[in-house]
């Protein structure tokens, strides 16, 4: 499903490597947690997978697509296959909750009929049917993150990347988000979660890959939080 | 599919325009001011150019002929002048016609009229010459100093009026240059202001553009709603500026009429607007939409570059 082979990323020539010779294989339907302190390379890793950044060296291939052969104009099509959830939600402020989710389908040219049946479905899944007509600024952080998840899932992606999705949330809301991710994974979507929340990592009992200074220092099938 | 996409882009553009509220209003007002500036300066320059044209049409020279000039020589001279591509019109004024004009001019002054009657008709026959471009009049002069016409010509009015004509010329050229200079300066200034306004409007949405890219939108899917917002600035700007110009001229024409007496200058200016309403509407709409689309397009380009 997801292959990274000897991937390194350097932002400035003089600076240290953000990622240093990383090789990972993530299988379909897996739930993988990337753990690391700030600056360990978690965000760089997700940016490489969504093609926001390109690796300085090494190869990345996802679902059979070799990133080195990907043309700039094909990037939007790639992104429609990967759902992404961010720490800062990244909702469109001028659109309602309904429109935010519908937008992910509109960009792909999906018909109005499909959109009208699909959007309420995902809204129901994240428990926000009643907020469809609200604007993002009228929602709480936890609700906004649920909208972001609904948007990431609306076009049935094979992969869902959640980059520190609980970073801005209180424990109760954080757990609601994690429960949602588990549910999504049960339905067959590969989930990649990056976090440095010890409690969540230890409770999940999933595969944990620990990053430190851009290197993988641990990769355990049922892992625990291993940083000080 | 194509229709659906078009509908979505147009709808998004409209909805964004409405939800932007103050920012849209500000951009539309700046657009209105830009269009008013462009229109007012264009109208002023057209009126000015027409005025100058009218004055220049009045500039001509008279070549006074000796009584001894033969009709053959006069005929040849007339033909030579007519064949000159710079010459617009040559009129032959006979002695009798000259007398008639004199009588008409001084109909109210019997003393002057009678003085001429008593001395027979001393007025010379003449050729009145107009050129397309009055500055070309000077180039006609040498032929009257050379044979075969030298002996037939008693005097050319140009020499007398040369200074006045030259001065008038310099003045009209100067006014034209200043008019267009001012117009260009004001239009450029307002273009820069509207461009910066639109650029600022798009800048405030730059994080949205990033999000749209991350969700998988094609560059044109991101760009078009912004271009439609630009078109709307142009359309509403046109409507508002026409309304403002209409009201201003209406008020102006009322006060003009009060000042100069009814049915005069004010009505003429207002009539000019009403006659040219179609072209003005078209011009403003074209200018407004072009400015809106080009500014938005240029402003958004930098945010769309990176994938």
């Amino acid at each position: 499903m997801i292959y990274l082979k000897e991937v390194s990323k350097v932002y400035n020539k003089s600076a240290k490597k953000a990622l240093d010779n990383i090789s990972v294989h993530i299988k379909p339907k897996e739930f993988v947690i990337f753990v690391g302190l700030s600056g360990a390379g978690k965000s760089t890793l997700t940016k490489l997978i969504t093609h926001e950044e390109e690796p300085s060296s090494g190869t990345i291939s996802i679902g059979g697509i070799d990133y080195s052969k990907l043309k700039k104009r094909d990037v939007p099509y790639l992104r429609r296959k990967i759902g992404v959830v961010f720490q800062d939600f990244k909702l469109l402020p001028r659109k309602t909750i309904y429109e935010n989710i519908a937008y992910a389908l509109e960009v792909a040219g999906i018909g109005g009929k499909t959109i009208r049946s699909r959007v309420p479905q995902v809204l129901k899944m994240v428990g926000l049917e009643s907020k469809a007509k609200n604007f993002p600024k009228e929602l709480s952080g936890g609700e906004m993150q649920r909208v972001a998840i609904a948007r990431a899932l609306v076009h049935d992606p094979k992969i869902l990347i959640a980059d520190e999705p609980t970073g801005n949330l209180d424990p109760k809301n954080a757990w609601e988000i994690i429960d949602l991710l588990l549910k999504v994974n049960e339905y067959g979507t590969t989930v990649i979660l990056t976090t440095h929340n010890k409690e969540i990592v230890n409770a999940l009992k999933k595969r944990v890959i620990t990053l430190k200074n851009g290197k993988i220092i641990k990769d355990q099938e049922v892992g625990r939080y291993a940083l000080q | 599919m194509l229709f659906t996409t078009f509908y979505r882009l147009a709808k998004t553009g409209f909805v964004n325009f409405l939800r932007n509220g103050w920012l849209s209003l500000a951009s539309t007002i700046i657009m209105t001011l830009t269009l008013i500036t462009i229109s007012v300066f264009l109208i002023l320059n057209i009126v000015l150019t027409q005025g100058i044209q009218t004055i220049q049409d009045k500039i001509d020279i008279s070549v006074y002929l000796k009584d001894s000039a033969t009709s053959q020589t006069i005929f040849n001279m007339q033909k030579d002048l007519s064949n000159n591509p710079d010459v617009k019109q040559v009129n032959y004024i006979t002695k009798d016609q000259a007398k008639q004009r004199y009588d008409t001019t001084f109909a109210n002054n019997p003393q002057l009229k009678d003085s001429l009657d008593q001395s027979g008709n001393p007025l010379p026959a003449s050729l009145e010459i107009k050129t397309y471009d009055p500055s070309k009049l000077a180039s006609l002069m040498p032929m009257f100093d050379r044979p075969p016409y030298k002996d037939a010509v008693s005097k050319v009015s140009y020499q007398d009026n040369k200074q006045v004509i030259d001065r008038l010329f310099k003045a009209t050229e100067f006014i034209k240059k200043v008019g267009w200079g001012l117009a260009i300066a004001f239009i450029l200034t307002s273009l820069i202001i509207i461009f910066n306004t639109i650029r600022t409007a798009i800048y405030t949405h730059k994080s949205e553009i990033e999000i749209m890219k991350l969700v998988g939108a094609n560059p044109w899917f991101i760009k078009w709603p912004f271009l439609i917002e630009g078109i709307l600035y142009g359309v509403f700007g046109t409507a508002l500026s026409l309304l403002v110009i209409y009201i201003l001229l209406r008020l102006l024409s009322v006060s003009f009429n009060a000042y100069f007496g009814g049915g005069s200058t004010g009505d003429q200016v207002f009539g000019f607007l009403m006659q040219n309403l179609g072209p003005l509407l078209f011009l403003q709409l074209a200018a407004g939409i072009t400015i809106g689309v080009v500014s938005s397009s240029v402003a958004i380009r930098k945010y769309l570059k990176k994938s």
Side-chain angles (χ1 to χ4, degrees), chain A residues 51-53 72-73 75-77 79-80 86 90-96 99 103-112 115 135 151 155, chain B residues 1 4-5 8 11-12 15-17 19-20 205 207-219 221-222 226 229 304-307:
Chain A
H51 210 279
E52 270 181 88
E53 299 287 350
K72 193 184 162 191
R73 64 163 190 273
V75 172
Y77 300 96
R79 290 193 180 144
R80 291 174 207 165
F86 304 91
K90 292 201 193 299
L91 299 177
L92 295 165
R94 288 195 286 174
K95 289 184 185 293
T96 62
E99 290 166 344
Y103 190 78
L105 295 174
E106 285 175 0
V107 299
I110 309 276
I115 292 179
F135 285 91
R151 177 181 64 186
H155 47 51
Chain B
M1 162 85 184
T4 312
T5 307
R8 276 175 193 164
K11 190 183 154 197
T12 309
V15 170
N16 286 352
F17 180 84
R19 286 188 187 159
N20 260 351
H205 300 307
S207 60
E208 282 177 54
I209 297 172
E210 288 303 315
I211 297 171
M212 289 168 181
K213 283 197 281 192
L214 285 173
V215 178
N218 277 317
F221 200 90
I222 299 172
F226 285 99
E229 279 184 76
L304 290 177
K305 256 186 199 155
K306 213 171 150 276
S307 62

Side-chain angles (χ1 to χ4, degrees), chain B residues 27-227:
Chain B
S27 304
T28 305
I29 287 171
I30 300 282
M31 178 67 90
T32 307
L33 293 175
T34 304
L35 291 175
I36 289 175
T37 310
I38 293 176
S39 308
V40 165
F41 274 97
L42 278 183
I43 292 172
L44 276 184
N45 270 293
I46 289 169
V47 171
L48 189 70
T49 310
Q50 273 178 358
I52 290 173
Q53 194 62 47
T54 317
I55 294 170
Q56 289 192 341
D57 275 347
K58 288 190 176 145
I59 301 176
D60 59 4
I61 53 169
S62 293
V63 178
Y64 298 105
L65 303 163
K66 287 178 182 162
D67 289 353
S68 61
T70 62
S71 56
Q72 185 61 43
T73 315
I74 296 168
F75 179 74
N76 286 345
M77 206 192 303
Q78 212 175 346
K79 209 171 91 181
D80 273 3
L81 282 166
S82 303
N83 288 340
N84 187 325
D86 289 332
V87 172
K88 189 177 172 188
Q89 206 181 359
V90 185
N91 276 334
Y92 178 50
I93 310 294
T94 63
K95 281 175 76 72
D96 287 345
Q97 281 169 331
K99 174 79 172 40
Q100 263 170 23
R101 277 193 193 176
Y102 183 89
D103 288 347
T104 322
T105 313
F106 297 108
N108 296 328
N109 194 336
Q111 231 176 342
L112 273 174
K113 195 168 167 277
D114 292 346
S115 71
L116 204 65
D117 285 341
Q118 282 157 16
S119 58
N121 180 5
L123 295 172
S126 62
L127 287 174
E128 286 179 353
I129 306 162
K130 272 186 187 164
T131 47
Y132 289 102
D133 177 357
S135 68
K136 291 280 161 49
L137 283 171
S139 68
L140 298 175
M141 292 306 115
M143 71 179 279
F144 307 119
D145 285 335
R146 280 196 306 258
Y149 303 130
K150 191 175 185 236
D151 293 337
V153 174
S154 67
K155 197 179 155 194
V156 181
S157 68
Y158 186 73
Q159 264 80 15
D160 295 346
N161 303 335
K162 191 171 183 305
Q163 260 193 325
V164 180
I165 293 176
D166 281 355
R167 210 175 284 166
L168 185 65
F169 240 177
K170 275 186 189 145
T172 54
E173 283 305 309
F174 178 72
I175 291 169
K176 258 201 232 175
K177 271 185 199 151
V178 169
W180 283 111
L182 271 180
I184 289 168
F186 270 90
I187 289 170
L188 270 183
T189 311
S190 52
L191 283 180
I192 291 168
I193 294 172
I194 183 70
F195 173 67
N196 271 310
T197 308
I198 291 180
R199 216 173 56 148
T200 313
I202 288 182
Y203 175 82
T204 60
H205 300 307
K206 79 172 188 244
S207 60
E208 282 177 54
I209 297 172
E210 288 303 315
I211 297 171
M212 289 168 181
K213 283 197 281 192
L214 285 173
V215 178
N218 277 317
W220 55 265
F221 200 90
I222 299 172
K223 190 173 166 181
W224 266 99
F226 285 99
L227 297 193

Side-chain angles (χ1 to χ4, degrees), chain A residues 21-185:
Chain A
N21 205 28
I22 299 263
S23 294
V24 188
H25 173 215
I26 297 168
K27 294 186 281 293
K29 300 179 184 177
E30 226 180 332
F31 193 117
V32 183
I33 310 165
F34 281 93
V35 177
L37 299 172
S38 297
K42 304 188 301 286
S43 286
T44 303
L45 197 72
T46 57
K47 280 180 181 165
L48 288 173
I49 295 173
T50 55
H51 210 279
E52 270 181 88
E53 299 287 350
E54 288 178 55
S56 308
S57 65
T59 53
I60 301 170
S61 139
I62 289 177
I65 304 166
D66 181 349
Y67 277 23
S68 64
K69 289 175 185 148
L70 201 65
K71 293 191 185 74
K72 193 184 162 191
R73 64 163 190 273
D74 295 327
V75 172
Y77 300 96
L78 170 82
R79 290 193 180 144
R80 291 174 207 165
K81 294 198 173 84
I82 305 172
V84 190
V85 177
F86 304 91
Q87 181 174 5
D88 56 355
F89 323 131
K90 292 201 193 299
L91 299 177
L92 295 165
R94 288 195 286 174
K95 289 184 185 293
T96 62
I97 299 315
Y98 182 96
E99 290 166 344
N100 259 285
I101 298 169
Y103 190 78
L105 295 174
E106 285 175 0
V107 299
I110 309 276
K113 211 174 151 187
T114 316
I115 292 179
R116 283 190 293 277
S117 73
R118 183 77 183 126
V119 175
Q121 272 176 19
V122 288
L123 269 175
K124 195 175 171 198
M125 194 183 109
V126 299
L128 288 173
E129 308 102 299
S130 61
K131 304 273 181 179
K133 285 182 181 162
N134 288 78
F135 285 91
K137 61 169 186 262
E138 297 161 351
L139 269 57
S140 72
E143 287 170 331
M144 280 200 265
Q145 196 57 292
R146 270 143 64 192
V147 175
I149 291 175
R151 177 181 64 186
L153 293 175
V154 74
H155 47 51
D156 259 331
K158 292 276 172 289
I159 302 165
L160 178 71
I161 299 173
D163 188 8
E164 308 234 18
T166 59
N168 285 341
L169 305 178
D170 57 55
K172 180 177 169 286
N173 276 307
W175 272 109
E176 277 176 16
I177 296 298
I178 297 298
D179 284 341
L180 253 177
L181 293 179
L182 287 170
K183 198 157 95 183
V184 169
N185 182 239

